[in-house]
Amino acid sequence: MLLLVFEIAKAQEKSIDTTAVIILDRMSSIFGELNSLGFTSSVSKDVVYAEDFFIKVFSSTDVKIKGPNKLSARIHGENKEDLYSYNGEQVTYYSYQNNIYTVADAPDNLIETIDWLYTDFGIELTTADFLYPSFSKDFTEQMDNVEFLGIAQVDGKRAFHIAGSNESITIQLWISDDSYFLPIKTLITYFDGPYANQHETDFSDWEINQDYPDSIFEFSPPPSAKQITWMSQN
């Protein structure tokens, strides 16, 4: 009986807007049907610079994906420019600034490879959670509140505005009100540390089902490039 009461109370604490779920389901289903995808993500995030001191860091990433197991991500950041290439078997990292590269065997599919890079090496190629087939389900399960906030204008584009929150995070998503339901912007605010901090991503230059040649996902090191060993952060 106590367990039943607890489960009822827990269910009452969650508030899930069905309109928001329908929009997220639509976005997830469209991404699941695509053969290839290209976009640019521009990121602004707060990072710890010193104790009690955050600074804003900016970067952008040009991403090309060919399902189910090919990816190219070129990251333009402050004082760096890096390339990650995944051909379905291996991931190659190349630093343009230092002219060094490294190669590692990777999982045989894109979703597991993105997880592997983040978990083992702390590498976040792009804000790519929406690429996961289960994104809508995972989002509604992890949030205590999910709400459709209405129609917004973002950079002159009509967008669905959706927000989710739990005790440690709020997530806002702006999704295009058109045939493809593409993400336009995401804004994540973290509250699980001593100070709130944000991670904002703007998406642009979408390419849908382009016929990308396999060669763009292969890496050939420049003659003078030096190969180094890729070490896991663990």
Side-chain angles (χ1 to χ4, degrees), residues 177-230:
D177 179 11
D178 58 20
S179 300
Y180 285 104
F181 284 66
L182 298 170
I184 297 176
K185 178 192 288 286
T186 62
L187 178 61
I188 305 171
T189 305
Y190 298 95
F191 300 103
D192 54 350
Y195 301 97
N197 60 95
Q198 292 189 321
H199 187 296
E200 181 176 353
T201 306
D202 293 282
F203 298 94
S204 61
D205 303 326
W206 289 97
E207 296 176 344
I208 304 297
N209 283 340
Q210 296 291 313
D211 187 16
Y212 296 132
D214 289 346
S215 59
I216 70 173
F217 305 100
E218 301 287 348
F219 175 76
S220 297
S224 58
K226 179 181 179 181
Q227 185 172 5
I228 61 173
T229 302
W230 206 346

Side-chain angles (χ1 to χ4, degrees), residues 3 22 25 52 66 68 72 87 119 125 140 207 211 214 216 226:
L3 180 61
I22 291 171
D25 284 345
D52 302 336
K66 184 175 181 179
S72 174
N87 62 7
T119 302
L125 294 182
T140 53
E207 296 176 344
D211 187 16
D214 289 346
I216 70 173
K226 179 181 179 181

Side-chain angles (χ1 to χ4, degrees), residues 17 19-20 23 146-152 159-164 171-174:
D17 187 327
T19 300
I23 295 169
V146 177
E147 186 174 353
F148 171 58
L149 300 179
I151 301 297
F160 301 114
H161 188 190
I162 294 173
I171 301 177
Q172 297 182 70
L173 304 98
W174 289 264

Side-chain angles (χ1 to χ4, degrees), residues 74-145:
R74 185 162 180 171
I75 302 173
H76 314 270
E78 297 180 17
N79 301 317
K80 74 171 186 177
E81 185 164 358
D82 299 330
L83 174 69
Y84 293 88
S85 298
Y86 170 55
N87 62 7
E89 297 179 356
Q90 294 181 319
V91 170
T92 302
Y93 160 74
Y94 175 66
S95 167
Y96 287 88
Q97 182 179 27
N98 300 310
N99 198 26
I100 57 175
Y101 73 98
T102 187
V103 182
D105 293 331
D108 62 0
N109 66 83
L110 180 60
I111 298 301
E112 289 186 15
T113 296
I114 291 175
D115 281 341
W116 168 72
L117 284 171
Y118 182 76
T119 302
D120 285 21
F121 301 99
I123 298 169
E124 184 179 9
L125 294 182
T126 182
T127 306
D129 289 348
F130 57 80
L131 297 174
Y132 289 67
S134 61
F135 171 77
S136 179
K137 178 176 179 291
D138 294 341
F139 185 79
T140 53
E141 286 181 351
Q142 294 170 12
M143 297 295 107
D144 295 330
N145 300 282

